[in-house]
């Protein structure tokens, strides 16, 4: 049993509060990880404001982290003490139907993400005498956590852990949205709606896939400037502003793909994305939506007559056990930018400041560094 700290949510709409955390030893199939860093992803903000509620509070936030395995419980097979690991925001059990067919992003164990307990339905994390839930069964807003081995992916130990943390959610989600979700190909025209931690990587994915024109759409001048650094060829403040230029630059063919990586997916943004793609165009929806939102409007005729497609896209349609190491290889080879994503680093105590910077468009990806 160890005592550490964690950023805890006690009620929706309140800030993260730094609490003393008591952590039990890992049980069967579980590992204790000493984290080096945690990314500040928008999904935790969705949890905080109650758009994406947990089954119960208090909850320890954070689902984008990397670190070193400090101890393993009984029956752990995939990792050993001392291994460097990335925590995957979706577990990959390797045994369910979805894992077996190579779609680990849909692993049945992902159903526990909003429950936030260990596989046996209990908690190893205790704050103020109460059991705490864990965002995505991870809880990376703490220098230590206990998670199931299904949620960790072993990586090579030459990759800096504070960079590796980013591929546990945002980077892989963004790149995968372009490469797998919308199947971007060489010479394509791609529109990316919303340039945050995921959108910047959707641009990188489109670039890696060989897209010729990458059109970044975001109301924030800072985000548009960042888009250019990651490979956007054109930037616009809104989809309405981009519509006519895309029509001109493609001689009426419109975009091959539109990637929706905004703060919150709404019916309005889906309609805008559908309007930007042409025949056979694919719209990949990656940004989370409010739980009870069910209104969408777009020209239904175009969907049929022009064979447009709207696709849901979880974790960029990626398989954590193959794609997390792949992202890190691309980084090592200089093809994927990770250093440039981290606009600012914070201590755990500064976590609310980090989220304020996200809300005010002052960072692309904020990262909490431990020690
Ligand atoms: Zn995330
Ligand atoms: Zn599975």
């Amino acid at each position: 049993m160890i005592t550490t700290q964690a950023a805890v949510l006690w009620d929706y709409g309140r800030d993260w509060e730094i609490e003393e955390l008591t952590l039990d030893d890992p049980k069967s199939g579980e590992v204790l990880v000493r984290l080096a860093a945690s990314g500040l992803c928008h999904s935790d903000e969705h949890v905080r404001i109650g758009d994406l509620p947990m089954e119960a509070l208090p909850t320890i936030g954070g689902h984008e982290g990397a670190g070193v395995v400090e101890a393993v419980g009984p029956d752990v097979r995939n990792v050993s003490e001392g291994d460097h690991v990335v925590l995957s925001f979706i577990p990959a059990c390797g045994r369910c139907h979805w894992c077996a067919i190579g779609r680990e992003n849909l692993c049945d164990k992902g159903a526990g993400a909003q429950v936030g307990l260990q596989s046996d339905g209990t908690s190893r994390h205790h704050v103020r005498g109460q059991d705490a839930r864990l965002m995505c069964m991870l809880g990376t807003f703490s220098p230590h956590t206990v998670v199931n081995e299904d949620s960790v992916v072993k990586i090579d130990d030459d990759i800096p852990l504070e960079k590796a943390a980013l591929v546990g959610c945002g980077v892989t989600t963004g790149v995968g949205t372009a490469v797998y979700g919308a199947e971007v190909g060489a010479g394509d025209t791609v529109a990316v709606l919303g340039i945050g931690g995921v959108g910047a990587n959707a641009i990188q994915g489109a670039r890696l896939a060989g897209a010729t024109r990458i059109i970044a759409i975001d109301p924030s001048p800072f985000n548009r400037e960042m888009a250019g650094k990651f490979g956007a060829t054109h930037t616009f403040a809104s989809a309405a502003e981009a519509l006519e230029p895309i029509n001109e630059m493609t001689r009426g063919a419109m975009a091959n793909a539109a990637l929706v990586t905004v703060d919150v997916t709404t019916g309005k943004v889906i309609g805008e994305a559908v309007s930007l793609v042409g025949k056979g165009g694919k719209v990949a929806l990656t940004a989370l939506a409010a739980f009870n939102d069910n209104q969408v409007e777009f020209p239904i005729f175009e969907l049929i007559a022009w064979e447009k497609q709207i696709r849901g896209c979880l974790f960029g349609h990626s398989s954590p056990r193959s794609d997390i190491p792949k992202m890190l290889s691309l980084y090592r080879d200089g093809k994927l930018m990770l250093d440039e994503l981290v606009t600012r680093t914070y201590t755990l105590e500064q976590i609310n400041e980090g989220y304020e910077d996200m809300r005010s468009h002052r960072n692309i990806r904020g990262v909490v560094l431990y020690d």
Side-chain angles (χ1 to χ4, degrees):
M1 191 188 271
I2 60 170
T3 303
T4 179
Q5 282 195 313
V8 178
L9 183 69
W10 290 95
D11 201 2
Y12 300 113
R14 272 170 64 179
D15 277 345
W16 298 101
E17 289 176 49
I18 307 302
E19 300 282 353
E20 190 178 277
L21 166 68
T22 309
L23 206 48
D24 297 338
D25 291 335
K27 291 193 176 173
S28 175
E30 298 166 5
V31 297
L32 168 68
V33 180
R34 179 167 48 83
L35 289 156
S38 173
L40 302 182
C41 178
H42 208 108
S43 306
D44 299 286
E45 176 73 358
H46 282 288
V47 170
R48 189 189 69 79
I49 63 177
D51 263 3
L52 190 70
M54 296 291 295
E55 188 186 69
L57 298 176
T59 285
I60 299 171
H63 62 281
E64 200 178 76
V68 179
V69 174
E70 211 162 68
V72 298
D75 314 316
V76 168
R77 293 185 182 88
N78 296 326
V79 288
S80 319
E81 204 181 308
D83 281 350
H84 288 209
V85 291
V86 167
L87 274 58
S88 172
F89 94 86
I90 292 177
C93 77
R95 293 175 297 278
C96 74
H97 167 80
W98 300 104
C99 284
I101 64 166
R103 294 186 64 184
E104 289 176 358
N105 65 323
L106 296 180
C107 176
D108 285 339
K109 286 191 87 177
Q114 283 175 280
V115 179
L117 294 168
Q118 304 289 340
S119 297
D120 65 0
T122 64
S123 177
R124 305 293 161 264
H125 298 63
H126 314 284
V127 286
R128 294 193 209 166
Q130 293 185 45
D131 287 350
R133 307 297 182 107
L134 305 177
M135 172 65 167
C136 293
M137 299 172 282
L138 298 179
T140 62
F141 292 168
S142 169
H144 284 89
T145 191
V146 171
V147 298
N148 195 280
E149 66 168 327
D150 292 341
S151 296
V152 303
V153 176
K154 187 181 171 183
I155 61 165
D156 293 335
D157 53 16
D158 64 317
I159 304 285
L161 288 167
E162 72 274 16
K163 303 294 165 19
L166 302 171
V167 307
C169 175
V171 170
T172 312
T173 298
V175 173
T177 296
V179 175
Y180 304 131
E183 296 174 281
V184 171
D188 278 359
T189 297
V190 181
V192 183
L193 293 90
I195 313 302
V198 174
N201 291 298
I203 292 172
Q204 297 214 73
R207 194 191 74 227
L208 287 163
T212 304
R213 299 184 194 88
I214 303 172
I215 295 123
I217 299 168
D218 195 291
S220 153
F222 171 76
N223 290 14
R224 289 202 297 278
E225 189 194 320
M226 293 302 288
K229 290 190 180 149
F230 291 102
T233 56
H234 303 73
T235 60
F236 297 97
S238 69
E241 276 179 41
L243 197 63
E244 195 44 43
I246 293 177
N247 186 32
E248 268 169 45
M249 70 179 85
T250 61
R251 300 185 178 199
M254 301 305 287
N256 303 94
L259 317 178
V260 177
T261 51
V262 292
D263 298 354
V264 183
T265 295
T266 58
K268 181 170 178 282
V269 76
I270 295 172
E272 289 172 344
V274 170
S275 74
L276 296 178
V277 300
K279 285 185 190 173
K282 299 179 185 79
V283 174
L285 306 180
T286 287
L288 290 170
F291 225 60
N292 51 5
D293 191 359
N294 55 14
Q295 298 297 315
V296 189
E297 267 190 41
F298 54 78
I300 300 168
F301 180 83
E302 285 181 19
L303 210 68
I304 299 147
W306 296 356
E307 290 200 346
K308 294 184 178 182
Q309 297 178 30
I310 301 175
R311 300 171 164 191
C313 194
L314 182 65
F315 205 178
H317 208 72
S318 302
S319 284
R321 291 198 192 283
S322 61
D323 286 301
I324 284 175
K326 187 187 285 180
M327 295 301 133
L328 296 174
S329 292
L330 285 164
Y331 169 68
R332 187 192 283 116
D333 294 340
K335 298 199 183 331
L336 183 70
M337 294 188 271
L338 295 185
D339 303 339
E340 296 80 356
L341 284 171
V342 183
T343 355
R344 234 193 108 182
T345 61
Y346 305 88
T347 62
L348 186 62
E349 289 73 18
Q350 293 171 315
I351 191 160
N352 294 305
E353 202 181 313
Y355 274 105
E356 180 50 33
D357 284 346
M358 173 192 286
R359 290 189 292 268
S360 318
H361 301 286
R362 284 193 293 263
N363 62 25
I364 285 287
R365 197 45 127 215
V367 171
V368 168
L369 295 180
Y370 301 114
D371 296 332

